[in-house]
Amino acid sequence: GYRRPLGALRYGVLGLTNALLAAGVPVAVNLLEPYSLFGRIVQNLVGPGLAYPLSRGVSAALEAVGVYVQPLAWHVSLAALVSTGALLALLTALTVLRGRLYCNTLCPVGTALGLLSRFSRWAVVVDPGACTRCGRCVEVCPAECIDVEAGAVDASRCVSCFRCLSACTFGALRYGRRRRGRLGSRARVGGALVTASRRRFLHGAAGLGAGAGLALLAARLTGGSRAGAASSAIVPPGAIGVSRFLSTCTACHLCVTRCPTRVLQPSLLSAGPRGLFQPRLDYHAGRCD
């Protein structure tokens, strides 16, 4: 079905993320950014759960016929395993219960792309003369962005899957250029729609302001731990400096995956709140060559 966009929450998360990044505290990115989250899932869950046992099995099978291949050495960080598993469980629950709630509302990348899509010249548009309001398009829309009653498609959430075009037997939906002067991808603009759009804009602006305010507060709270973190954190080679590393690393764990000696290991809060999930050198797990 159709769900109204949560503008204040969407743009509040985006404002919080950007303001924290500007303050050199990438905590929101480390938690919510999808590419880094995917990297952590592969490294901390798929690796220990699939790659390591498979490597051991292949090594044992080859050794039985006289060929020895050293299996993968995988040092499992319990804190990284539990925290990544909890994030994956939360993401799965959100997807099952509310579809694309994470992508369209909580993900700062999705919100930023949605902002660009609002001004796209090409989009799915509704022909009010052909639409019978049967609701077939709404039933197949994974983004929950088609408002049949208003004759509108929310371009900021539409993912251009075109399922609605296939479902509509009346030809009321098409993908093409939007007419100038139209609001979003709406087929018609009345006073009520303009008022609703203005209300959403104000909610979004309020969300951005609130997010920026929270970010400044968070940056001030985490600022006191910078000196302690800088003196205790052991960051990867090439980081140049601890402060620079803590303010730029997005905790994707790609370096952890590629490290040949496995000395790079994911951490939880070993470098303080600024270094959430960021990797560190763990000389109990291996050596740096």
Side-chain angles (χ1 to χ4, degrees):
Y2 169 74
R3 293 183 186 271
R4 294 182 179 276
L6 303 175
L9 179 59
R10 293 174 73 188
Y11 299 114
V13 171
L14 181 62
L16 176 67
T17 302
N18 290 336
L20 282 173
L21 278 177
V25 184
V27 173
V29 173
N30 295 358
L31 277 172
L32 299 174
E33 197 267 323
Y35 308 111
S36 299
L37 179 58
F38 177 76
R40 290 199 301 275
I41 290 172
V42 171
Q43 162 64 26
N44 299 325
L45 298 180
V46 177
L50 181 63
Y52 177 70
L54 184 62
S55 172
R56 301 286 295 187
V58 170
S59 178
L62 290 175
E63 191 172 4
V65 296
V67 179
Y68 178 72
V69 177
Q70 185 176 3
L72 291 174
W74 212 284
H75 182 80
V76 180
S77 169
L78 182 61
L81 188 70
V82 172
S83 59
T84 305
L87 284 173
L88 178 60
L90 178 61
L91 179 60
T92 303
L94 287 175
T95 304
V96 171
L97 297 175
R98 281 293 308 272
R100 295 180 58 85
L101 178 66
Y102 164 74
C103 300
N104 285 338
T105 304
L106 300 178
C107 174
V109 177
T111 301
L113 293 175
L115 277 174
L116 295 176
S117 298
R118 288 181 65 90
F119 303 100
S120 172
R121 293 294 296 138
W122 291 77
V124 176
V125 293
V126 182
D127 181 357
C131 180
T132 63
R133 294 181 173 82
C134 65
R136 293 179 184 175
C137 57
V138 179
E139 293 176 357
V140 300
C141 177
E144 302 173 330
C145 66
I146 303 177
D147 187 354
V148 172
E149 296 302 321
V153 178
D154 184 357
S156 69
R157 292 184 291 163
C158 178
V159 294
S160 300
C161 66
F162 302 142
R163 294 181 188 177
C164 54
L165 274 64
S166 302
C168 183
T169 57
F170 303 100
L173 288 161
R174 64 177 178 83
Y175 185 77
R177 290 179 65 88
R178 289 186 284 193
R179 299 180 187 177
R180 294 188 180 279
R182 303 280 173 119
L183 179 65
S185 59
R186 302 183 183 281
R188 59 183 183 278
V189 182
L193 290 181
V194 174
T195 302
S197 175
R198 186 180 296 115
R199 186 181 303 115
R200 282 195 296 272
F201 172 78
L202 292 174
H203 287 172
L208 279 170
L214 287 173
L216 293 175
L217 177 61
R220 187 176 294 274
L221 291 176
T222 57
S225 63
R226 294 186 182 186
S231 64
S232 62
I234 309 177
V235 295
I240 299 179
V242 175
S243 181
R244 175 183 177 275
F245 180 77
L246 294 181
S247 64
T248 54
C249 174
T250 63
C252 68
H253 291 180
L254 289 178
C255 61
V256 177
T257 304
R258 295 299 300 272
C259 180
T261 63
R262 314 303 300 175
V263 67
L264 281 179
Q265 292 296 322
S267 65
L268 188 60
L269 291 169
S270 63
R274 294 180 68 206
L276 182 67
F277 299 135
Q278 292 182 356
R280 63 185 178 91
L281 270 71
D282 181 0
Y283 290 105
H284 293 94
R287 70 190 186 284
C288 179
D289 60 4

